[in-house]
Amino acid sequence: MAEIVLEHVTKVFGGGVVAVNDLSLEIRDGEFMVLVGPSGCGKSTILRIIAGLEEVTAGEVRIGGRQVTDLSPRERDVAMVFQNYALYPHMTVEQNLGFGLRLRRMPKEEIRRRVTEVARILGLEELLPRKPAALSGGQRQRVAMGRAMVREPVAFLMDEPLSNLDAKLRVQMRAQLAQLHDRLGTTTVYVTHDQVEAMTLGERVAVLRDGVLQQVATPQDLYAHPANLFVAAFIGSPPMNLVEATVRHGTVAFGGLELPLPPGVDLSAYEGRTVILGIRPADMEDAEVWPDPSRPEIEVTVEVTEDLGSEVNVLFGVDAPPVAVEETAAAAEETFLLGEARSIFCARVDARTRARPGGRVRLSVDPTRFHFFDPATGAALPGRAEPSAA
């Protein structure tokens, strides 16, 4: 059993810098948990706390039901994979894989067995005689993961292990990591600042901001049911369109546009007041390509088109100021830059669209997928379907 539990963990560095603030998180046995957030949110500090490389200021850490808060890294039986491969350049792949086991004075036959098995799983058999200089980036990363695997730890801790790879290789390595986890079933905690990586890898994802846990859920629930404005703005690529809108007799109005509230959503408490409306780019479509009489339409002037092959991002202006609250400003590190006088919306539409910069396009919108947030607190407003248990 390798359940990892953090209870009310706080970490304060010198000068009173709070890196982790009263964080409680339960990582299930065999789960692939991803910690994600912008730079400086505390995710790597949490990983180092689990590993025993950082002492907690307050709180407790348990691994496999055992209290490990004051134990050394060696006593915790976890293995880390870092951003840099940290391979010994003068050693072969085989020697790199078995080095940690030799330090533990493990029998040679057992070392050979483990190294051979891990090399087979990772497809490194033909590379065993090579040295790191003769390997590609992806091969070096596989060796780094293999060095952790041969230890057969209770948990893997991975700190942005793919960030040094090019885009295509990262996609391939993500797939290999997912397959590897399915095969081994070892509890894995994975840190990344890339929310696309988090969504594609994690069984559950923990979103962090300024050392505070914002939401823990499956990738699907994070996308469909963000708990607050920060999560809404951070999760999703392209990010959610956010704008201040006025509730008027069953509609929301913003920038000269008016859209109906979805059925079953009761915002009567905000009648005549402002809420923050969120619309995912994927929830708008070119009405000429996909006509749907049941969906309301808006007509807009196209400013930019981004042709992605299978789909097109249509960017257009809305005559309403962007939501420039603290939550969206923090998330903007990973999303579009905030404008000044008006909002820039994005619609992800079918590649057959005729939308071109400077032209007009009719977009159908799906109100059943609208998101609403309290402008004062940033919290999601009730009314949407409840997410499934995570």
Side-chain angles (χ1 to χ4, degrees), residues 72-119:
S72 67
R74 182 185 181 91
E75 297 172 291
R76 300 190 184 201
D77 193 20
V78 297
M80 287 197 72
V81 181
F82 297 96
Q83 178 177 345
N84 59 352
Y85 317 122
L87 302 179
Y88 295 102
H90 63 287
M91 294 184 183
T92 65
V93 168
E94 183 174 11
Q95 291 168 334
N96 267 285
L97 289 174
F99 182 71
L101 302 183
R102 291 196 297 274
L103 286 182
R104 292 170 176 244
R105 301 184 184 278
M106 189 170 288
K108 290 183 179 180
E109 284 303 315
E110 179 62 14
I111 294 176
R112 188 177 297 110
R113 182 193 69 79
R114 291 195 185 189
V115 168
T116 301
E117 175 65 11
V118 166

Side-chain angles (χ1 to χ4, degrees), residues 281-333:
D283 295 331
M284 291 184 278
E285 187 52 86
D286 187 327
E288 291 186 7
V289 178
W290 289 100
D292 186 346
S294 67
R295 289 169 54 158
E297 296 179 359
I298 57 175
E299 188 170 348
V300 299
T301 300
V302 179
E303 296 194 0
V304 177
T305 57
E306 299 174 338
D307 195 336
L308 305 178
S310 60
E311 52 204 358
V312 175
N313 289 338
V314 175
L315 277 65
F316 58 94
V318 173
D319 291 328
V323 179
V325 297
E326 187 178 351
E327 288 85 351
T328 54
E333 175 179 317

Side-chain angles (χ1 to χ4, degrees), residues 250 260-266 294 366-369 372 383-385:
L261 289 173
V265 172
D266 182 10
S294 67
D366 186 356
T368 65
R369 296 182 179 271
F372 302 97
R384 292 180 57 83

Side-chain angles (χ1 to χ4, degrees), residues 239-250:
M240 183 184 292
N241 302 298
L242 296 166
V243 67
E244 291 189 0
T246 303
V247 179
R248 295 177 183 165
H249 309 296

Side-chain angles (χ1 to χ4, degrees), residues 246-282:
T246 303
V247 179
R248 295 177 183 165
H249 309 296
T251 67
V252 279
F254 58 95
L257 302 172
E258 192 168 20
L259 292 168
L261 289 173
V265 172
D266 182 10
L267 292 182
S268 56
Y270 289 83
E271 182 65 34
R273 296 166 53 194
T274 297
V275 297
I276 293 176
L277 168 67
I279 306 175
R280 293 281 185 198

